[in-house]
Each structure stands twice: as C-alpha cells, then as structure tokens.
Amino acid sequence: MKVGYLGPKATFTELAVKKVFERFEHVPYQTIPGCMDAVSNHDVELAVVPLENALEGSVNITLDYLTQVAELPIIGEITIPIKQHLMVHPQNAESWQDAEKIYSHSHAIAQCHKFLHKHFKGVPYESVSSTAAAAKMIMESPEQNAAAIANELAAKEYGATIVERSIHDFDYNHTRFIVLSEQNIDFQVLSGSSHYRTTLMVTLPSDQAGALHQVLSAFAWRKINLSKIESRPMKTGIGNYFFIIDLEMKLDDVLIPGAIAEMEALGCSVKLLGSYPAIMVDLD
Amino acid sequence: MKVGYLGPKATFTELAVKKVFERFEHVPYQTIPGCMDAVSNHDVELAVVPLENALEGSVNITLDYLTQVAELPIIGEITIPIKQHLMVHPQNAESWQDAEKIYSHSHAIAQCHKFLHKHFKGVPYESVSSTAAAAKMIMESPEQNAAAIANELAAKEYGATIVERSIHDFDYNHTRFIVLSEQNIDFQVLSGSSHYRTTLMVTLPSDQAGALHQVLSAFAWRKINLSKIESRPMKTGIGNYFFIIDLEMKLDDVLIPGAIAEMEALGCSVKLLGSYPAIMVDLD
C-alpha cells in the first residue's frame, strides 16, 4: 500500500507517516493539493497532510481544498509533538556557539524565538522552504559555521549533529495530521487507537446574529462535546462563513444524526467529513 | 513614525503597509515574534502582522504570541486581496510557456495548483521562503528559463515581467492583517474606515459539553453578531482550549460589557484584545 505525504523527506509529516505506516511505501508530494489529488487519481491509497498548527504547510489550504475541491473522507488522525533541535555539521560541533548563521523554516525560527534571542542575539537567520532543507543546507557547506533548526529525523537523514535539544519556546507544541482515503481501510486496526472524533462542515443559512448559537444548541442539549470549532470564509464573498466542528465521539445511530437533522431543519447544510480514530504519537 | 512589518520587502505584508501607512517609515522584520517585540521595545510605534489566510507567515504564531507573550492591543485591521501573478525575467518574456522551473512560496504554489496543473504539467517547482524571494531569484539567473509566482509589488521591485495575471485557483482569496500598537494612535483617522470590530479571548472554565453554547448565549440574546470564532489549544496541555471571538461592532458601554460580565459569571476568563476600525484595501 502506498501512502502519500507532504514532503520533502525528513519533515514532520514524514515523522508522522513513519510512526504509523511503518511497513507501507511512502511517497512525498510537494504540495497539499497535489497530495490529495494523488488519492483522487488512485496513485496512492492514503494521504497524510497537516491540519492544525502545521510547520511545513498551511492548515487553510488543507481545509479549503478538502471541503471545496478534493472531497475525500477523513479516515484517521495523527497528532505528534513538535520538537525543534539545533544542529550543525559534525566538523562544527565544538564551535556551534560561534555559528554565524541560522537556517530553518520561518515558522520554526519563530517558534524558537526566545532561545535565539538569548543565545544568538544579532546572528542573522535565513528562512528556507522546510526544516529538512535547512539541515541539508548546513551539511553541504561545512566550511561555513552555520546551524539549522530541524527535527530528529532530519539530523539522522543528513548526518547532522544535534548540539541543543528542544529549543522551542512552548513545551506544548503539536501538529495534527489527517489521513485521507477513499478505500475501506480500518485506521483503528492500523493505529491501535479507539479514541474517535467526528468532523462536520456546517454552513449557516445566512449571516445572522445567533445562528451559530442555534447550531450549538443541537449539540449542547444532547451533551455532545465539541473539541474544536473554527469558522472559515467561503470562497464566494465577504461575510459568508462555514464552520468546521469536531465532536469528541464516534458517529452513532442516534445522537449525531439527530443533531444533523436538527441543524438541517434550521436551514443549515451539513456535511460529514469523517468519523475516525485519533492517535497521539510519542516520538521518544 | 515607524511601522514594523513581517518582511522581507515586496511581500503581501509590505503591500498592506504601503497602502495604509504610505508616509511612514517601514521597517521589515524576519519573524512575527520579532516584529511584535519591536513594538514592546519601542523600536517602532506600530507593527503589521498577518492574522488569517496568510501566505508569508503563520496565523497560529500571531495568535499564540499575541495572547501569551506580547500582549499588545490591536488598534486596526487591514484586509487585502491576494492576487498571484506569473512572472519571468524580461529576456524570457517571449518563451515563458517553455519555463523549465517554477519558484514560489509553498503556499502560493498550492494556491495556483489548477493553473500549474493545466499549463505546466510535469514542470518541477521549488519552494522558497517567500514569494518575493522567488521573484528575486529568477531575476538573478536570466540564463535559466524559470518563472516565479509572486505579487505585483515583487515584479516592480525586482523588474520582472508579468506574463499571466491572477493565476490563483480561488477568486476570493484575502489576507487579514492586524495593526498592533501601545500608543494612542487613531486608526480610524489613518484608514478612513468607520467599520469596527472587537476581538475577545475567552477561556472556558473546563472542557465541558455545552460550555461554549452558554458563552454564545451571552451574545445571541443581545443580538451581537459574531464574524469569526476559532478555538486554539492552550499551551498547557491537551483538551484545554481558548476561543478567539470577533464581534461585528465597536466596544460600547452596555452590550459588550454586559456580555463579558455574563461570561465571567459563568466562570470564564475574558480578555479584550482590541476594538478597532477594519479596512478592506483594493489593490487595483
């Protein structure tokens, strides 16, 4: 079985893929839409793309392409902790504190703001297209005393030496990935997780005060817990929003269908994006 | 007066800054936290950073740094349409359809997925740190027949020739920026906008079914319209969320303070991030 993922190699997305789909073939794609198209075109059976708090891609692109173009079911979710390390070429392992330049993805540089401010004040940094690209870059120019911020996998892949571990500002830093597939694949068996989530896309009838409140009533009186709610603009004009709502339960026969029927009676259109096992992967 | 913005030059953030703060001095910063720190340290009077649907930075970093570290008031909002153009070195203007490589920011490549799929199928693309960097890159190597996806400003700044305009997939593609300042600056005078928005950060007492529904009741019965709601994980552990809520009105003496008092009585903590004029800028 082939698993497409947002590349390049040694990014956080590949980390997630390696943990969960160890024995499958992994195919990197350069963009999130390209990765989803590969599933639609049957080039791969599964795709893994970042959904939330992503480093190497945009959450908005994932949601927009999923809801408005690709229309693939979500069959699973993988959450991994994001740990950023400082690494240099092995030749520069002794003198890393004198590094003259720091390379990384712009988001990773921002995430390590406090560390860089304390240890490398005034040292210029250069943002490159991914953390993996940064690790590759410092390995190609050992004569320059430069450091990269990247993950464990990138250090291994390119042979860089990690000189400071976990240099990110916030301890609790996670990325949430979704697994997309049109095939009948049981992610519960693959992941071993029995914790389910259900994701709905809800479009309100019009931009009216209190419409969202009515929608949430449908969940509240059924005691269905929401783990996330996010409004996203429709691509049709200003002020038109749809909502992505995550429910902390598996799709059942009574409660969720009842809530959907109630929202539809209020004039909403409701689309089930998936009801899937969610796994939290520890990288240590 | 100095205005800090998320650089480099010729990005969409600079486009927004140029439109609204034409006569001020503009100072580019490499990261969103760096840009906010510049305001806290009084290096600049104002800062402009992307908040939503951003190309050159992460929305999550803006929200997280704003709510948990920088604590700067939002004094204004600027929304601009995102228009992506295909550009080449003037030498290659006749032969652009034979371009052998496409450079851009990964998000811009993803946003022009359909165009690239139709006109440049099989042509490799390379993601660089910003759309502006892509434009700069093709201008430095005219001997390579390469194209860049970037904005109007980047074409002007680096002298590239636009060969196809508006190649992005979705017509309605906007980025929303916030203006941060600790000074008493009237953004209404600067922007000429009298359309106000108020942004609140609401932390729920505990992860309970229906808590959000109760919060929204405080707005619904007062007929206060919400234009956006988004849940963000607290950096303290899984399942703890706070909410960013945008209200479509200016902070008044009765309605919003009443809603805040009601939410606090329910055990929520509420923080006012700002009540500010919002301007929609047309780039044409």
Side-chain angles (χ1 to χ4, degrees):
Chain A
M1 207 142 57
K2 284 184 189 169
V3 184
Y5 69 96
L6 178 66
K9 280 182 74 67
T11 58
F12 284 96
T13 315
E14 199 195 1
L15 259 179
V17 168
K18 283 207 165 185
K19 272 281 170 180
V20 180
F21 301 108
E22 206 184 339
R23 286 167 308 157
F24 297 177
E25 187 183 339
H26 308 153
V27 186
Y29 286 88
Q30 280 198 287
T31 65
I32 290 171
C35 198
M36 291 193 201
D37 283 354
V39 179
S40 305
N41 301 335
H42 310 294
D43 296 333
V44 296
E45 279 78 31
L46 297 152
V48 179
V49 290
L51 179 69
E52 202 179 300
N53 194 22
L55 272 177
E56 325 269 357
S58 162
V59 173
N60 292 343
I61 285 169
T62 299
L63 267 186
D64 292 349
Y65 205 77
L66 182 66
T67 54
Q68 298 181 40
V69 184
E71 307 205 343
L72 297 165
I74 306 173
I75 66 152
E77 174 190 315
I78 307 168
T79 300
I80 62 165
I82 298 291
K83 293 184 180 169
Q84 304 286 7
H85 309 307
L86 190 76
M87 55 194 70
V88 296
H89 191 284
Q91 282 185 20
N92 301 319
E94 300 294 310
S95 57
W96 66 270
Q97 278 157 315
D98 306 320
E100 285 154 10
K101 197 152 193 181
I102 315 281
Y103 291 92
S104 196
H105 187 277
S106 60
H107 297 187
I109 292 170
Q111 287 180 348
C112 301
H113 179 69
K114 287 185 205 163
F115 174 86
L116 293 175
H117 191 76
K118 193 172 164 196
H119 297 278
F120 291 97
K121 207 177 173 184
V123 175
Y125 28 77
E126 190 169 323
S127 60
V128 292
S129 61
S130 70
T131 51
K136 194 173 169 218
M137 196 165 283
I138 58 152
M139 290 306 292
E140 284 169 354
S141 309
E143 73 287 356
Q144 186 191 21
N145 191 358
I149 300 170
N151 66 27
E152 189 96 43
L153 188 59
K156 272 189 203 142
E157 176 86 21
Y158 298 108
T161 302
I162 295 178
V163 289
E164 280 283 301
R165 301 189 77 84
S166 296
I167 60 167
H168 43 280
D169 293 346
F170 296 108
D171 266 350
Y172 182 79
N173 193 19
H174 284 70
T175 290
R176 188 178 158 207
F177 299 89
I178 47 172
V179 185
L180 304 168
S181 180
E182 289 181 322
Q183 318 252 326
N184 189 11
I185 292 165
D186 192 340
F187 190 70
Q188 195 187 341
V189 174
L190 284 170
S191 67
S193 172
S194 57
H195 177 72
Y196 270 79
R197 222 190 282 281
T198 299
T199 300
L200 302 176
M201 173 183 172
V202 179
T203 311
L204 301 187
S206 66
D207 187 31
Q208 60 182 75
L212 180 61
H213 176 249
Q214 283 187 302
V215 162
L216 293 188
S217 300
F219 300 109
W221 76 259
R222 288 178 176 87
K223 293 196 189 298
I224 301 176
N225 210 353
L226 274 60
S227 62
K228 185 174 168 77
I229 178 163
E230 190 178 342
S231 55
R232 288 283 308 143
M234 303 283 286
K235 298 290 185 186
T236 49
I238 288 178
N240 297 324
Y241 281 80
F242 66 88
F243 291 87
I244 299 291
I245 295 175
D246 286 346
L247 311 175
E248 279 299 298
M249 64 180 285
K250 189 176 176 176
L251 182 63
D252 64 337
D253 295 329
V254 179
L255 289 174
I256 296 180
I260 291 174
E262 195 173 313
M263 289 185 284
E264 286 173 343
L266 291 166
C268 300
S269 84
V270 184
K271 198 164 127 184
L272 177 71
L273 298 183
S275 185
Y276 48 87
I279 183 175
M280 166 73 79
V281 172
D282 200 348
L283 297 180
D284 295 325
Chain B
M1 206 145 54
K2 284 185 190 169
V3 184
Y5 69 95
L6 178 66
K9 278 180 77 64
T11 58
F12 284 95
T13 314
E14 200 196 1
L15 260 180
V17 169
K18 284 206 163 184
K19 273 280 168 182
V20 181
F21 302 107
E22 205 184 340
R23 287 168 308 159
F24 297 178
E25 187 183 340
H26 308 154
V27 188
Y29 286 87
Q30 280 199 287
T31 65
I32 290 171
C35 198
M36 293 195 202
D37 283 356
V39 180
S40 305
N41 301 335
H42 310 294
D43 296 333
V44 294
E45 279 78 30
L46 298 151
V48 179
V49 291
L51 180 69
E52 203 178 297
N53 193 22
L55 273 176
E56 325 271 357
S58 163
V59 173
N60 293 342
I61 285 169
T62 299
L63 267 185
D64 292 350
Y65 205 76
L66 182 65
T67 54
Q68 298 181 39
V69 184
E71 307 206 345
L72 297 166
I74 306 174
I75 66 150
E77 175 190 314
I78 307 168
T79 300
I80 62 165
I82 297 291
K83 293 183 181 169
Q84 304 286 7
H85 309 306
L86 191 76
M87 55 194 70
V88 296
H89 191 283
Q91 282 185 20
N92 301 319
E94 300 294 309
S95 56
W96 66 270
Q97 278 157 317
D98 306 320
E100 284 155 11
K101 197 152 193 181
I102 314 281
Y103 292 93
S104 196
H105 187 278
S106 60
H107 297 188
I109 293 170
Q111 287 181 348
C112 302
H113 179 68
K114 286 183 206 166
F115 174 86
L116 293 174
H117 191 74
K118 193 172 163 196
H119 296 279
F120 291 96
K121 207 177 171 184
V123 175
Y125 28 77
E126 189 168 324
S127 60
V128 292
S129 60
S130 70
T131 52
K136 195 172 169 219
M137 196 165 283
I138 58 152
M139 289 307 293
E140 285 168 355
S141 309
E143 73 287 355
Q144 187 191 18
N145 190 357
I149 300 170
N151 65 28
E152 190 96 43
L153 188 60
K156 272 188 204 142
E157 175 87 21
Y158 299 108
T161 302
I162 296 178
V163 288
E164 280 283 301
R165 301 189 78 84
S166 297
I167 61 167
H168 44 280
D169 293 346
F170 295 109
D171 266 350
Y172 183 77
N173 193 18
H174 284 71
T175 291
R176 190 179 157 206
F177 299 90
I178 47 174
V179 185
L180 304 168
S181 181
E182 288 181 324
Q183 319 253 324
N184 189 12
I185 293 165
D186 192 340
F187 191 70
Q188 195 186 340
V189 174
L190 283 170
S191 66
S193 172
S194 56
H195 177 73
Y196 270 79
R197 224 190 280 284
T198 300
T199 300
L200 301 175
M201 173 185 172
V202 179
T203 311
L204 301 186
S206 65
D207 187 31
Q208 61 182 74
L212 179 60
H213 176 249
Q214 283 187 303
V215 163
L216 293 188
S217 300
F219 300 109
W221 76 260
R222 288 179 176 86
K223 295 197 189 298
I224 301 175
N225 209 353
L226 273 61
S227 62
K228 187 176 166 75
I229 178 164
E230 189 179 341
S231 55
R232 288 285 307 146
M234 303 283 286
K235 298 291 186 185
T236 50
I238 288 178
N240 297 323
Y241 281 81
F242 66 88
F243 292 87
I244 300 291
I245 295 175
D246 286 346
L247 310 176
E248 279 299 298
M249 64 181 283
K250 189 177 177 177
L251 181 63
D252 64 337
D253 294 332
V254 179
L255 289 174
I256 296 179
I260 291 174
E262 195 173 312
M263 289 185 283
E264 287 174 342
L266 290 167
C268 300
S269 84
V270 184
K271 199 164 128 184
L272 177 71
L273 299 184
S275 185
Y276 48 87
I279 183 175
M280 165 75 77
V281 173
D282 199 349
L283 297 181
D284 296 324

